[in-house]
Amino acid sequence: MDVRLGIEKYPLVHQPCFLAALFVLLCTPSICDGLFTWQTYKSQQLDGLQALLKAWKSTPKIESNLAGWNESQKYPCNQDVTEDIAPNWRGVQCLQYINCFYTNKENTTRDCSTYIIGLTLQNASIVGSLPRDIGYISTLTTLELTGNPQLTGPLPVTLNETSLYVLDLHDNAFEGEFPFFGDEYESLLTLDLSGNKFNGSFPYLQIKNMVFLQILNIARNDFKGPIPEPALENITQLVELDLSSNALNGTAPTLKTIKNLQVLDLSSNMFTGTLPDLTTMHSLRSVNLSRNAFTGAVLLSSFFNRTENNSLSVLDLSFNQLTTDPNFWNISELGSLQELYLDNNLINGTLNISQLHALGLLRTKITNSSSSTNSTSSVLRVLSLMNNNISKVIYDVNDIANTATVIKLQENPFCNFSDPNDGTRCFCEQFCSISGSTEDSKRKIVIIAVVVSVTSLLILLVSLAALLYRNTKYKRYLQLQVQQRFEEFEVKPTIFHYSELRTATRDFNADLKLGEGAFGAVYKGTLPNGNTMAIKQLFAKTSKGVDEFLNEVILLTGMKHRNLVNLKGCCIREQQRLLVYEYVDNSDVDQVLLSKLNSQLCILIFYFFFEFLQIIFLEH
């Protein structure tokens, strides 16, 4: 049963002209205006999409992760047709306007088929499984569901009812065995099941007839056991083969028939025996056979194509049980290799760096006379032989100074010397520099540090000197101003030092406070000569400046009376203003004038009388 969706075309300024540009063979400008089109969907395909929506209904934030997916919008690919129809289903691709024909004599109505051909949802947080009903979408050519860690369950065998060219399900949580799709299922070009929980033996029967496969990736699953000898012999068009991080064992698979392979990764399995024969492959770029149990001597030319036109640039044979003698390496042996990793193997003896340099196998720094930068020549960019049994390295000063190849020999006996030298620093720590240049560099660093430190210290001293000079100059100016004012009015009060008064009052201790008024507090103080004084500390907030304070001092100094307390002197320090009065004993004026009052109260009356005079003075 087919489902027809009627779509009426509008005037030329709207969508018909857009469709005319895209489908010039299906619609010409002379008949675009007013054309009515029926789009026909296969009802089973629409049912298949609705089954997916039902299986994934627990997906969080479904309105964004599965945008456009809803039961009310049955047609997934109509966004580019009318504005009043809901948008496309996210990730669904359709092939529209196929097999169109006119249904009336006036050529104003036509009927076209629409097929669902693709479903791509990456990192959509899908929750659920893949239902069998996906087989209803028989025209599906691309299925890419990736990065959904809660997309679980087995793969439905009904996938063999589709027309898939690309099946990419990496980084989900599918489980169980990979299903058998039948002997005639051979259309796949890409099969990526990596990063799931598939198990069982190597899916030999399932893939042996996929003769057009270009990418086969089943890495990071739980496939176990050996790979049958003829498992891959029919898949001759492979470009990328990744079987890494499983539990496959036995000998490595035979790959002689796959001549165009570019990327091979068999790492992190349990393969044994000798390395696989890859001499027939001219297009290899990267080979990773690390973390297995391969054994034997490694003569690269015996296992890899080393002709001039080969392209192998990265080879990782680490964490095996291989032996080799680097002294037999030559330009034909290493060929185009740029990175060679042989860590954690059984390589021992001597490594002759000078010989490798002489044969042109290591990159060297070449100084360009027209530029201050360094360029490098071929071949190796990285040579890693860590954790082997290399006890001796032959090199000279030029090998260290001019090398651009990173040579890693950590965890070899050569690196265990207690007295490090240029060689161990270069090959065991990757810090390549001859001692002389190192000492020169250190000397330059010391000189620069001394110069910078001395300069900074001089700047600091000059700043401090300028500050001290400014303060001293201000003090002299203030002292001169005070002397001039006192000479003008012919008064000579004593100018006390602030530290002297501070010591006399024990830093203006509250126990020595005689009282407090609106303008300041009065303290009892004993000077170094033993004289007792009443010291009034004016509040900073009431200070009116030097001139006004001096006027007050002049006024109070000139007032003389036998019943008044005499002003002995003053002190000016930044914002501090202090007046020093004669201290009246308990047996003096208070007994004469107010013998019945408390003696301490009498003393305060005299001091605050002067404060009253200050108020009158300031108001006038």
Side-chain angles (χ1 to χ4, degrees):
M1 177 180 177
D2 297 341
V3 178
R4 303 174 72 198
L5 175 64
I7 302 167
E8 184 176 359
K9 299 300 179 184
Y10 301 105
L12 277 172
V13 295
H14 291 93
Q15 202 163 4
C17 291
F18 173 73
L19 294 176
L22 290 178
F23 307 105
V24 66
L25 296 179
L26 303 177
C27 178
T28 63
S30 61
I31 60 174
C32 281
D33 194 13
L35 181 63
F36 190 88
T37 300
W38 289 101
Q39 285 196 66
T40 304
Y41 284 83
K42 297 291 183 182
S43 60
Q44 279 191 328
Q45 295 190 6
L46 299 180
D47 291 342
L49 284 182
Q50 291 292 337
L52 291 177
L53 175 59
K54 184 177 180 180
W56 299 343
K57 63 182 180 180
S58 297
T59 299
K61 299 181 180 179
I62 196 168
E63 65 281 356
S64 58
N65 287 323
L66 296 177
W69 290 56
N70 60 75
E71 296 178 355
S72 62
Q73 165 57 4
K74 295 182 179 181
Y75 310 108
C77 302
N78 299 307
Q79 178 174 267
D80 59 345
V81 179
T82 60
E83 297 179 356
D84 58 341
I85 296 180
N88 288 352
W89 289 31
R90 176 189 171 186
V92 177
Q93 299 100 39
C94 296
L95 188 62
Q96 298 174 292
Y97 304 101
I98 303 301
N99 300 327
C100 296
F101 59 92
Y102 293 104
T103 58
N104 61 359
K105 295 180 179 180
E106 294 79 15
N107 292 336
T108 57
T109 303
R110 64 176 178 173
D111 200 334
C112 298
S113 297
T114 297
Y115 301 113
I116 299 172
I117 61 171
L119 176 57
T120 301
L121 291 169
Q122 300 174 344
N123 303 312
S125 302
I126 297 173
V127 176
S129 60
L130 194 61
R132 291 177 51 87
D133 294 352
I134 194 171
Y136 291 158
I137 311 176
S138 59
T139 56
L140 192 67
T141 61
T142 300
L143 179 60
E144 295 179 307
L145 304 174
T146 62
N148 303 286
Q150 297 187 68
L151 183 57
T152 63
L155 289 186
V157 71
T158 52
L159 283 172
N160 65 354
E161 299 175 10
T162 65
S163 305
L164 286 176
Y165 291 107
V166 176
L167 178 58
D168 186 353
L169 304 175
H170 72 263
D171 294 311
N172 294 299
F174 289 114
E175 56 193 7
E177 295 189 357
F178 184 64
F180 178 64
F181 292 147
D183 291 333
E184 298 181 358
Y185 197 79
E186 57 182 26
S187 61
L188 272 181
L189 300 178
T190 297
L191 176 60
D192 189 344
L193 305 177
S194 60
N196 283 281
K197 300 178 181 179
F198 292 110
N199 55 35
S201 59
F202 182 80
Y204 160 56
L205 295 176
Q206 294 91 320
I207 67 172
K208 69 175 183 177
N209 293 320
M210 298 179 183
V211 295
F212 299 110
L213 264 185
Q214 297 179 11
I215 297 176
L216 174 59
N217 189 342
I218 61 171
R220 294 178 288 123
N221 282 285
D222 195 25
F223 293 109
K224 295 182 175 66
I227 298 178
E229 181 71 19
L232 301 171
E233 64 181 11
N234 294 331
I235 313 177
T236 59
Q237 299 186 31
L238 275 179
V239 174
E240 180 180 328
L241 176 61
D242 190 346
L243 310 180
S244 63
S245 300
N246 283 283
L248 301 171
N249 56 31
T251 58
T254 300
L255 305 171
K256 291 183 178 180
T257 60
I258 310 174
K259 299 184 182 300
N260 297 316
L261 193 65
Q262 297 180 13
V263 178
L264 173 63
D265 193 343
L266 303 180
S267 64
S268 299
N269 282 286
M270 295 180 286
F271 291 117
T272 58
T274 59
L275 296 175
D277 185 357
L278 306 177
T279 55
T280 61
M281 302 177 185
H282 298 270
S283 303
L284 273 177
R285 299 196 314 268
S286 175
V287 174
N288 189 350
L289 304 178
S290 66
R291 299 181 185 277
N292 283 286
F294 290 116
T295 57
V298 178
L299 187 61
L300 298 182
S301 57
S302 299
F303 299 98
F304 304 96
N305 185 291
R306 311 314 299 140
T307 57
E308 293 183 1
N309 60 349
N310 82 89
S311 56
L312 182 61
S313 60
V314 179
L315 176 59
D316 192 346
L317 302 176
S318 301
F319 292 89
N320 284 287
Q321 301 173 30
L322 302 171
T323 62
T324 188
D325 187 351
N327 296 313
F328 288 106
W329 291 346
N330 52 46
I331 193 66
S332 61
E333 178 77 359
L334 297 185
S336 60
L337 275 178
Q338 296 184 21
E339 299 180 25
L340 176 58
Y341 300 90
L342 289 164
D343 306 328
N344 292 78
N345 278 286
L346 304 176
I347 302 171
N348 54 33
T350 300
L351 178 64
N352 194 331
I353 301 293
S354 297
Q355 179 180 325
L356 297 179
H357 265 300
L359 292 173
L361 301 179
L362 303 181
R363 293 191 172 200
T364 56
K365 297 177 181 177
I366 302 174
T367 303
N368 190 333
S369 59
S370 62
S371 173
S372 59
T373 59
N374 288 339
S375 59
T376 57
S377 59
S378 298
V379 184
L380 281 176
R381 185 162 54 88
V382 176
L383 174 59
S384 187
L385 296 165
M386 295 189 295
N387 200 19
N388 281 282
N389 194 32
I390 297 173
S391 58
K392 183 179 180 181
V393 177
I394 299 175
Y395 63 93
D396 59 30
V397 173
N398 292 328
D399 297 330
I400 296 175
N402 298 325
T403 184
T405 299
V406 178
I407 301 175
K408 299 182 178 180
L409 298 180
Q410 284 91 325
E411 304 300 325
N412 279 280
F414 170 76
C415 297
N416 294 336
F417 292 110
S418 58
D419 184 19
N421 53 51
D422 293 341
T424 56
R425 280 190 291 267
C426 183
F427 307 129
C428 303
E429 301 175 12
Q430 288 70 59
F431 179 74
C432 296
S433 176
I434 58 176
S435 298
S437 61
T438 302
E439 294 301 325
D440 291 341
S441 299
K442 290 182 178 178
R443 189 177 296 109
K444 290 179 181 178
I445 293 173
V446 170
I447 293 174
I448 292 173
V450 170
V451 171
V452 171
S453 300
V454 171
T455 303
S456 302
L457 182 59
L458 288 175
I459 293 174
L460 179 61
L461 292 176
V462 170
S463 301
L464 290 175
L467 184 61
L468 291 173
Y469 174 76
R470 180 182 176 185
N471 289 339
T472 303
K473 186 177 180 180
Y474 175 74
K475 289 180 179 179
R476 289 179 180 176
Y477 166 77
L478 188 61
Q479 186 178 10
L480 181 61
Q481 186 181 12
V482 170
Q483 291 176 353
Q484 289 177 346
R485 292 299 300 274
F486 289 167
E487 290 176 358
E488 181 181 352
F489 289 92
E490 297 181 351
V491 294
K492 295 181 180 180
T494 303
I495 305 299
F496 292 92
H497 290 289
Y498 178 78
S499 59
E500 183 181 6
L501 300 183
R502 182 177 178 181
T503 302
T505 59
R506 287 184 291 175
D507 198 11
F508 301 98
N509 193 302
D511 294 338
L512 298 178
K513 183 185 285 189
L514 300 176
E516 185 175 308
F519 288 91
V522 180
Y523 296 86
K524 179 181 179 181
T526 303
L527 298 177
N529 59 8
N531 293 335
T532 302
M533 298 291 179
I535 301 169
K536 180 176 182 181
Q537 184 184 41
L538 301 180
F539 296 140
K541 64 182 181 180
T542 63
S543 178
K544 301 297 182 178
V546 175
D547 287 340
E548 294 178 351
F549 177 72
L550 293 179
N551 289 337
E552 180 181 350
V553 172
I554 293 170
L555 174 63
L556 296 176
T557 303
M559 296 179 63
K560 303 292 182 179
H561 192 274
R562 64 186 182 88
N563 291 330
L564 293 180
V565 179
N566 294 327
L567 181 67
K568 295 296 185 179
C570 63
C571 175
I572 302 176
R573 180 181 180 271
E574 296 178 355
Q575 299 300 319
Q576 293 281 356
R577 305 288 188 267
L578 297 101
L579 297 173
V580 181
Y581 294 98
E582 174 188 5
Y583 180 76
V584 179
D585 292 329
N586 289 342
S587 60
D588 199 354
V589 181
D590 59 320
Q591 290 183 356
V592 175
L593 299 179
L594 300 166
S595 57
K596 293 183 180 181
L597 294 178
N598 180 275
S599 60
Q600 188 72 18
L601 177 61
C602 294
I603 295 170
L604 292 178
I605 291 173
F606 285 112
Y607 296 139
F608 295 138
F609 171 73
F610 281 105
E611 191 152 311
F612 172 72
L613 293 178
Q614 291 176 19
I615 296 173
I616 296 175
F617 172 76
L618 291 174
E619 289 180 351
H620 292 80

